[in-house]
Amino acid sequence: TLHTILAVETGSFAMYGKKLREEWIGDDITIYSPLYAASEGLIGVNPGIDAKTYILHPKSMFYEFIPIEESEANDGKYTDDETETLFIEQLEVGKTYEIIITNLTGLYRYRFGDVVR
């Protein structure tokens, strides 16, 4: 008997998880989304099979964060030189931040648009 499907069900893929549940599997089967990843690299891992909560993976890339209040106040129009960012240890629980990444393959302070809490 099928009890778990391994697939992405977050972000822009949420609509596919919804359709899969509505037309094929209902709510009795778990869809486990183990990774938070993008073409830029691995961002985080999901430790709980019944959760959609991801833990950032600090060895895959370097993270900086912009508080959403600051980003929205200026319509997200910052250049890298004028943007004051926070490091992971400076974040506050429950607040929302835009992620900026630097990876080993050459992206430097890349704002790819993802927002986390």
Side-chain angles (χ1 to χ4, degrees), residues 77-84 109:
K77 296 176 185 162
Y78 286 104
T79 64
D80 287 342
D81 293 336
E82 62 190 22
T83 303
E84 191 164 325
R109 300 195 81 201

Side-chain angles (χ1 to χ4, degrees), residues 1-6 25 27-32 49-50:
T1 305
L2 180 66
H3 60 82
T4 304
I5 295 174
L6 180 68
I25 65 170
D27 290 325
D28 295 334
I29 297 176
T30 299
I31 299 176
Y32 174 51
I49 195 164
D50 293 321

Side-chain angles (χ1 to χ4, degrees), residues 9 17 19 24 26 36 43 51 57 88 100 105 117:
E9 191 192 18
K19 186 138 182 102
W24 296 94
Y36 173 17
I43 299 166
H57 193 280
I88 197 166
I100 300 173
T105 59
R117 177 171 295 147

Side-chain angles (χ1 to χ4, degrees), residues 40-90:
E40 295 83 9
L42 174 65
I43 299 166
V45 295
N46 179 1
I49 195 164
D50 293 321
K52 303 282 186 298
T53 303
Y54 298 88
I55 299 170
L56 293 178
H57 193 280
K59 292 188 177 185
S60 65
M61 55 183 77
F62 180 75
Y63 303 98
E64 296 174 83
F65 303 86
I66 300 174
I68 285 298
E69 301 83 34
E70 290 180 25
S71 181
E72 289 176 346
N74 292 308
D75 296 324
K77 296 176 185 162
Y78 286 104
T79 64
D80 287 342
D81 293 336
E82 62 190 22
T83 303
E84 191 164 325
T85 59
L86 301 174
F87 299 128
I88 197 166
E89 69 273 9
Q90 297 172 301

